[in-house]
Amino acid sequence: SQTIHQWPATLVQPVGSPLSLECTVEGTSNPNLYWYRQAAGRGLQLLFYSVGIGQISSEVPQNLSASRPQDRQFILSSKKLLLSDSGFYLCAWSVLVWDNEQFFGPGTRLTVL
Amino acid sequence: AQTVTQSQPEMSVQEAETVTLSCTYDTSENNYYLFWYKQPPSRQMILVIRQEAYKQQNATENRFSVNFQKAAKSFSLKISDSQLGDTAMYFCASGTDKLIFGTGTRLQVFP
């Protein structure tokens, strides 16, 4: 069966510090991968999605970036965090572009102080 | 641009009763999918039900069913025989290769 992991589960970082959040998927090949941010009491905002290794589409201009160094690994990064980067970050995967049922990871709660 | 609107920030229902959550969307796509996801306090996103836009028949999953009105771009979720475990945030989503999510409806089920 397929599983998706995210770490860390919780992170507290000072403003201006770097960020690296990791997401890995097991049990499937060539998944589509997604990074979402959920601000407190809000819906999900799509940040990045990837249909293959090295292929990243950015949805929202910001100081975040994403990379996909391996087929089932998706990394969200920042060189300098802002207060507004605080939120709940969710990684998701899907198998087919058309049948886009997405399966979500457990999320990372990021607090920038 | 695609949009998904959930006009009910909060809803409440008594256990065993029925509740309907509203969702409207706007898309220029001809073929797309619609989803309802549930996010309990654990914050794990769980798929509740899905609907293919090209299918006229409304999707049903046990106590959960949808009322899909394609011309009106409406996709409401009906929960029958509500249970305490249904307490959660519910998100409507629409899309093809990317999903656009609504802002969510917080559902509270009371005993």
Side-chain angles (χ1 to χ4, degrees):
Chain A
S1 63
Q2 300 89 357
T3 56
I4 178 169
H5 304 279
Q6 284 187 246
W7 65 90
T10 304
L11 190 60
V12 180
Q13 291 285 93
V15 169
S17 63
L19 172 74
S20 181
L21 302 182
E22 190 164 343
C23 170
T24 59
V25 181
E26 296 177 357
T28 187
S29 297
N30 196 31
N32 297 321
L33 296 172
Y34 306 84
W35 277 113
Y36 291 89
R37 176 168 59 202
Q38 185 179 23
R42 305 285 292 277
L44 275 67
Q45 179 186 37
L46 179 63
L47 301 176
F48 301 95
Y49 75 99
S50 171
V51 299
I53 295 175
Q55 300 177 63
I56 309 293
S57 295
S58 175
E59 292 297 302
V60 182
Q62 61 219 324
N63 67 320
L64 299 172
S65 62
S67 62
R68 186 170 177 174
Q70 300 181 42
D71 180 45
R72 291 168 288 179
Q73 184 184 29
F74 205 22
I75 297 173
L76 183 69
S77 304
S78 175
K79 293 182 179 179
K80 289 185 177 182
L81 283 169
L82 306 173
L83 288 174
S84 58
D85 291 324
S86 292
F88 190 63
Y89 288 82
L90 285 159
C91 181
W93 68 272
S94 66
V95 174
L96 299 173
V97 172
W98 173 243
D99 181 5
N100 201 25
E101 177 178 342
Q102 295 186 15
F103 301 89
F104 286 82
T108 295
R109 182 184 301 278
L110 172 66
T111 303
V112 182
L113 301 176
Chain B
Q2 293 189 30
T3 59
V4 177
T5 302
Q6 293 180 250
S7 58
Q8 305 154 313
E10 295 184 1
M11 295 280 286
S12 61
V13 64
Q14 195 161 22
E15 200 175 8
E17 297 296 311
T18 297
V19 64
T20 299
L21 308 184
S22 301
C23 174
T24 58
Y25 62 94
D26 189 16
T27 180
S28 57
E29 302 285 342
N30 290 323
N31 297 312
Y32 50 92
Y33 279 74
L34 297 160
F35 302 90
W36 277 97
Y37 282 88
K38 167 185 177 181
Q39 188 179 43
S42 67
R43 304 201 76 171
Q44 176 70 54
M45 293 286 285
I46 303 166
L47 179 70
V48 175
I49 198 167
R50 56 185 289 161
Q51 173 80 39
E52 294 89 341
Y54 62 87
K55 286 188 177 180
Q56 293 184 341
Q57 185 175 5
N58 289 327
T60 299
E61 287 287 344
N62 301 314
R63 298 183 294 108
F64 300 88
S65 61
V66 299
N67 182 6
F68 175 46
Q69 302 290 328
K70 190 172 183 179
K73 295 184 177 176
S74 171
F75 182 60
S76 61
L77 174 69
K78 185 172 81 171
I79 305 174
S80 303
D81 187 24
S82 297
Q83 300 176 359
L84 296 178
D86 295 333
T87 293
M89 282 288 288
Y90 287 81
F91 292 98
C92 177
S94 168
T96 53
D97 58 334
K98 298 180 294 184
L99 290 184
I100 304 300
F101 284 80
T103 52
T105 295
R106 184 177 303 278
L107 177 66
Q108 179 72 50
V109 180
F110 293 97

